Amino acid sequence: MRTGIGRGGWALMVLAWLMACGGPPVPKAPETGDLSVEIHPGAAAPKKPEGACWAQDVAPLVIETVTEQVQVAPEERGPDGAVIRPAAFRSDTRQKIVQERTEIWFQAPCPEEFTVAFIASLQRALKARGLYLAPVTGVMDGATSAAVQKFQAERGLDSAKLSLAAARQLGLIAGDFTR
């Protein structure tokens, strides 16, 4: 007769121990930081930080259209409470400028960083997030720019030009990277 714990028993003991300890650590999800804080409006690139590279784009004019139903005549009721004539309404539509068209600047990877290997890594990072569906080519083409814009727009920067902060969030650049 054999006594002791077999393979299955050890596996159950390890599993019970992991559950008692809360299990293995779960990695944190990547941050989806607000890229709009990186935007600097103006006609010229900011001077600081020294040696930083900047990208320029245009934030478009944003107009909001509001349509309201305005009552022009109240309903009329008879002595018994029945509606004789329903209320009359008209539609009023007006537009309001929510955001003026503005030149914007934001820190970007320097041009010499846009190598074939860097762009291929960018395409793979965007593909892993379901934003880039084309083949990985290492070429900054329309599909890549559109995927960059979608990634950044979800985070408050509506630009097809890659920002330094977005490159960090995608894991392409580590730490403070300025020239």
Side-chain angles (χ1 to χ4, degrees), residues 60-141:
L61 173 73
V62 178
I63 298 174
E64 177 181 74
T65 302
V66 177
T67 302
E68 292 180 312
Q69 295 296 311
V70 179
Q71 185 176 357
V72 292
E75 68 180 21
E76 288 183 34
R77 292 189 175 261
D80 62 348
V83 176
I84 298 171
R85 189 178 353 200
F89 294 88
R90 75 169 188 273
S91 294
D92 279 350
T93 302
R94 64 183 178 284
Q95 293 183 326
K96 177 175 106 176
I97 295 175
V98 177
Q99 173 184 305
E100 293 285 343
R101 180 185 184 279
T102 311
E103 285 189 53
I104 59 169
W105 292 87
F106 50 90
Q107 263 190 286
C110 293
E112 60 269 15
E113 297 303 317
F114 283 91
T115 64
V116 171
F118 180 84
I119 296 169
S121 293
L122 170 63
Q123 290 169 334
R124 282 190 292 276
L126 293 166
K127 188 178 273 284
R129 289 160 178 81
L131 301 171
Y132 179 74
L133 305 176
V136 174
T137 61
V139 175
M140 194 67 174
D141 54 12

